[in-house]
Amino acid sequence: MKKIIGIVLCLLGITSYAQTGVVKGKIIDKQSEKAISGAIIMLTGNDENQTTSDEEGNFTLSQIPVGRQSISITFAGYESTSVSDLDVTTGKDNLLTISMTEQFNSLDEIVITSAPNKTKAVNKMAVVSTKQFSPEEVTRFSGGRSDVARLVSNFAGVATSDDSRNDIVVRGNSPSGMLWRIEGMPVPSPNHFSTLGTTGGPVSALNPNLLANSDFMTSAFPAEYGNAIAGVFDLGFRKGNPDEYEYMISAGAYPGLEFMAEGPLGKKGGSFLAAARYGFVGVTGLAGTEAQPNYSDISFNIDFGKSKLGNFSLFGIYGTSDIDFLGKDIDKEDPFAAQDEDGFAKSSFGSFGLKHNLELGINSSLKTIIGYADSGNTYKNDRYYDFGTPDENKLRFQDVDNSESRVTFSTLFNSKLSKKTTFRAGLLLENYTLKADVQTRDRQQDTDGDGYADLVQIVNNNGNYNIIQPFAQGQFRLTEKLTFNAGVHGQYFSINKEFVFEPRTALSYALNATNTVNFGYGLHHQSVPVPILFLNEFVNGNQVQSNKNLDLVQSQHYILGYDVRLAKKWRGKVELYYQDISKAAVESFPSSYSSLTEGADFGYSIDKTSLLSKGKGHNQGIEFTVEKFFSEGYYGLFTTSLFESKYKGSDNIERNSPFNNGYVINLLGGKEFKIGKEKKNVFSIDTKFTTAGGRYYTPVDLAASNNAGYEIKDDANAFSKQYDPYLRLDVKFGIKINSKTKKRFHQFYIDLQNVTNHTNVFTKEYNRLTNSVNQKDQIGFSPDFGYKFQF
């Protein structure tokens, strides 16, 4: 009888364990980033389930019921904080890093509650135009394809009205103005099928399952960020579970097949986290082209734990992709290929870094990163001249072989001088090696008289250049309500030997507990995209790179914002902005061209040489956000951007930029329903509605194109036409199943994208086979699906 009772109790214990989850993590001081020992972490709604952070700031809360749960954190002398609506499951522990802010006045008996973590940036120096996002949001929202770039398209000020690529258009800027950082290290475009100089691509190589909470910035970013004029993706990798091994297997239409593992490493609190993915979207028929795309990637973050020499960690990401476009298999409506061509594209991307954190005294630290990044792409294109006739002849039409590598050294010193003052300073050194070789017959003459345009080398570069960026910045809590940030960023570009200083400042004033106003200003510079910078031009029979000495493009950002806490878990935000751009690259004779119009495709212009740094532009607008944070089983997000994006070429005529959509409206919402006998499982519905003004484009000069045999744009009327408005409705259904007996968790979803099958224009381009201008459309109705198993 005793044995039977023992077995029953054992089974009950297993069931109890399996029907609960674990929340663990680390509590740190937001200013010094040092561990806080003795903080009290409590499960909301259950005062008895609480724990205290140890001397390293670590804590573990066990026996937490599955479902959406919240925790609160308190510590004497600090503003209390909370983390709301954690998704607790039986398959994986929740791992958190929670920062706390020291109270302005040392009155321990007064409890001050700070705003929820999600309303503030991860980077404490970011006060304006910054949105923190979580990895759970990347996979939660409908239409996102598990792509962090598509996630931020839901935020105010961002447009990505092209279903084929994830290029980020921030406040009317070209996507080439973006900066990507991983773990504090600048990296090339982390996307599959990316090309030299671009910042987007058709499929993201970033695995959201490895991301920590991260920041996305749209203007006047702090002094530590440079060589960007549009926006910043500042991404962090989370650490693996330091206490036990966990695994995940998943499959999705766009992310592909994935395996992930994590767990403890060594005896010093270290951990590892690694994942590998292989895409199979082509097999599902959802690629938007008849060709078969192939792509795969791996990501990892290895933390070696704390030692006398500090904390070392090793992180990295690597991806490859390729696709073959065979003309005989291509549909005439294919947006990426033509029936009289064969194209073979390959690309790769990799970034690896060794990070060292060293504590200096009680309130200071030094973070150093040594990294290496590499990106490359090749494209072989064969064209069938006299296509479909007895004289059909195949010739190599274009041959591209580009690779860019960089060695990075960065160091950042952070010191909390007092609870009212924080100081940061650092240095970023980047040494680039560029090997670029582009040969093409496009727009070339027939000098050898064989009846075909010559295959001419328009880019031939094999060399090095450096970018050096020092910075210093401070945060000053002048009063309990007033915070002032100020800093300066420097940038040296070795190609044109230009050095610039950039002041940055931001001010935040809390009118009361629910209303805050803020102001920001920033001067920013960025080099002209590399594919433009190193174009070859024939001068006196010799090839020269006539764009190499172009100035850095200059941008000044002005921001005025207002935040309001509308109600519990509700937030409203309004931002006004103006951006003044100068020193853009334009042609030396009167024309409509500007480098500000480049960067939203797979390539750049190939005939823009002898450019001058005399172009101008501006972006201005107003943005509205109303957000209901996830609580009581539902969430909502409404964002609206009303803006204008204009530029001037060397003809000094103000024109619409191709990114001047005029407006973007997003409406998202979702609801979770507890299901099952014990209400431990979840059925969810998420939806997203997006509409945006059509992009402006330059019409084709049909007569000139027919005469030349290739597309010629009517540049005198550049960006004078506008595509129809973009519109899309997505609906997503999901199920989460928590195991009753083991540490296992299942999740299924189906995401019905563009459920109305609305026709959105992809492009209008010249068809040399029919001597006409054809419209090609974006993907219509497209179902996405996925399954995840954690154990």
Side-chain angles (χ1 to χ4, degrees), residues 383-641:
R383 178 170 293 181
Y384 294 85
Y385 288 86
D386 300 314
F387 178 69
T389 71
D391 297 324
E392 183 175 287
N393 183 25
K394 184 175 78 170
L395 292 175
R396 176 57 50 88
F397 183 77
Q398 192 172 39
D399 200 330
V400 178
D401 188 356
N402 294 327
S403 67
E404 181 188 77
S405 62
R406 66 179 87 173
V407 177
T408 301
F409 172 83
S410 71
T411 185
L412 185 152
F413 172 75
N414 184 84
S415 182
K416 178 182 177 181
L417 302 179
S418 71
K419 61 186 174 183
K420 300 178 182 180
T421 305
T422 305
F423 174 75
R424 272 187 173 181
L427 177 67
L428 172 64
L429 305 174
E430 294 177 287
N431 175 258
Y432 289 78
T433 299
L434 176 67
K435 297 180 180 179
D437 190 334
V438 179
Q439 301 177 66
T440 186
R441 297 181 190 271
D442 188 21
R443 306 171 195 275
Q444 304 303 319
Q445 297 181 349
D446 176 20
T447 60
D448 57 11
D450 64 354
Y452 304 103
D454 297 343
L455 185 65
V456 177
Q457 188 170 55
I458 61 171
V459 176
N460 180 25
N461 189 83
N462 187 355
N464 299 76
Y465 63 94
N466 301 303
I467 299 179
I468 303 174
Q469 301 177 68
F471 69 90
Q473 57 189 340
Q475 182 177 79
F476 310 94
R477 301 172 69 190
L478 303 178
T479 70
E480 191 171 348
K481 295 183 176 182
L482 182 62
T483 300
F484 175 63
N485 290 359
V488 62
H489 178 274
Q491 183 169 327
Y492 172 75
F493 192 48
S494 68
I495 292 179
N496 61 8
K497 294 181 171 48
E498 183 178 2
F499 186 81
V500 293
F501 277 108
E502 304 169 340
R504 314 279 177 86
T505 186
L507 191 70
S508 178
Y509 180 70
L511 301 173
N512 50 46
T514 59
N515 296 269
T516 303
V517 294
N518 46 66
F519 167 79
Y521 168 79
L523 177 63
H524 308 267
H525 290 81
Q526 185 181 33
S527 60
V528 172
V530 166
I532 300 295
L533 210 59
F534 293 108
L535 273 175
N536 283 342
E537 178 184 10
F538 280 96
V539 177
N540 298 324
N542 298 315
Q543 283 192 334
V544 297
Q545 295 173 336
S546 57
N547 294 336
K548 287 183 66 174
N549 291 319
L550 286 169
D551 293 341
L552 298 174
V553 179
Q554 178 178 290
S555 172
Q556 297 189 74
H557 296 227
Y558 304 86
I559 312 296
L560 180 62
Y562 170 68
D563 279 88
V564 56
R565 203 178 306 177
L566 299 169
K568 184 179 181 181
K569 304 295 184 180
W570 285 85
R571 176 199 189 194
K573 184 177 182 180
V574 180
E575 278 199 342
L576 284 162
Y577 67 88
Y578 181 81
Q579 180 184 7
D580 182 64
I581 306 173
S582 59
K583 297 186 178 181
V586 296
E587 293 186 290
S588 55
F589 53 89
S591 82
S592 61
Y593 174 78
S594 171
S595 60
L596 298 178
T597 65
E598 301 268 14
D601 206 340
F602 289 96
Y604 287 78
S605 298
I606 62 173
D607 57 351
K608 305 302 180 185
T609 53
S610 295
L611 300 178
L612 304 175
S613 299
K614 295 184 178 181
K616 296 181 179 181
H618 74 265
N619 300 306
Q620 60 184 349
I622 184 171
E623 300 166 356
F624 302 91
T625 298
V626 177
E627 183 171 11
K628 162 64 168 63
F629 296 110
F630 206 118
S631 66
E632 300 176 340
Y634 75 100
Y635 70 91
L637 177 64
F638 172 75
T639 62
T640 298
S641 305

Side-chain angles (χ1 to χ4, degrees), residues 16-42:
S16 174
Y17 170 82
Q19 288 293 288
T20 62
V22 175
V23 174
K24 62 177 64 172
K26 187 170 186 175
I27 311 297
I28 63 172
D29 181 293
K30 188 172 183 66
Q31 293 168 278
S32 68
E33 301 180 358
K34 295 296 186 70
I36 293 178
S37 173
I40 299 173
I41 303 94
M42 182 185 303

